[in-house]
């Protein structure tokens, strides 16, 4: 999470499991995010980051707090 974008890049496990892990990298400008929601997930909650063209769903430890940081950054 930067001042103007949310960047997602696969971790080492995801890089090892996918044949083209670089294709999993995503950069979303904060101004393009329309909503941020969390939902149940096994092990960790899932964050749904919605834009006008689709939804990026990510899972991470501390997802509730991270979702709040994304929401605060996009509305700042």
């Amino acid at each position: 999470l930067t001042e103007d974008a949310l960047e997602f890049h696969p971790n080492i496990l995801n890089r090892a499991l996918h044949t083209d892990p670089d294709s999993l990298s995503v950069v979303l400008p904060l101004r393009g995010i329309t909503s941020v929601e969390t939902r149940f997930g096994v092990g960790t909650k899932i964050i749904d980051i919605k834009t006008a063209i689709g939804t990026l769903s990510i899972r991470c430890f501390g997802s509730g707090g991270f979702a709040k940081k994304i929401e605060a950054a996009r509305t700042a």
Side-chain angles (χ1 to χ4, degrees):
L1 181 60
T2 68
E3 288 183 17
D4 58 356
L6 173 68
E7 296 186 20
F8 173 81
H9 303 285
N11 64 18
I12 195 163
L13 178 61
N14 283 312
R15 293 188 74 72
L17 294 175
H18 294 284
T19 56
D20 185 14
D22 292 329
S23 70
L24 301 175
S25 291
V26 177
V27 177
L28 297 175
L30 292 177
R31 69 182 180 281
I33 297 173
T34 57
S35 70
V36 179
E37 301 170 6
T38 58
R39 62 183 162 99
F40 176 79
V42 177
T44 65
K45 289 183 180 177
I46 297 167
I47 305 172
D48 291 324
I49 302 125
K50 297 183 180 187
T51 71
I53 60 170
T55 301
L56 173 66
S57 297
I58 61 172
R59 134 185 348 253
C60 63
F61 293 109
S63 56
F66 188 47
K68 288 178 183 176
K69 287 181 181 180
I70 298 167
E71 182 64 22
R74 82 170 191 92
T75 57

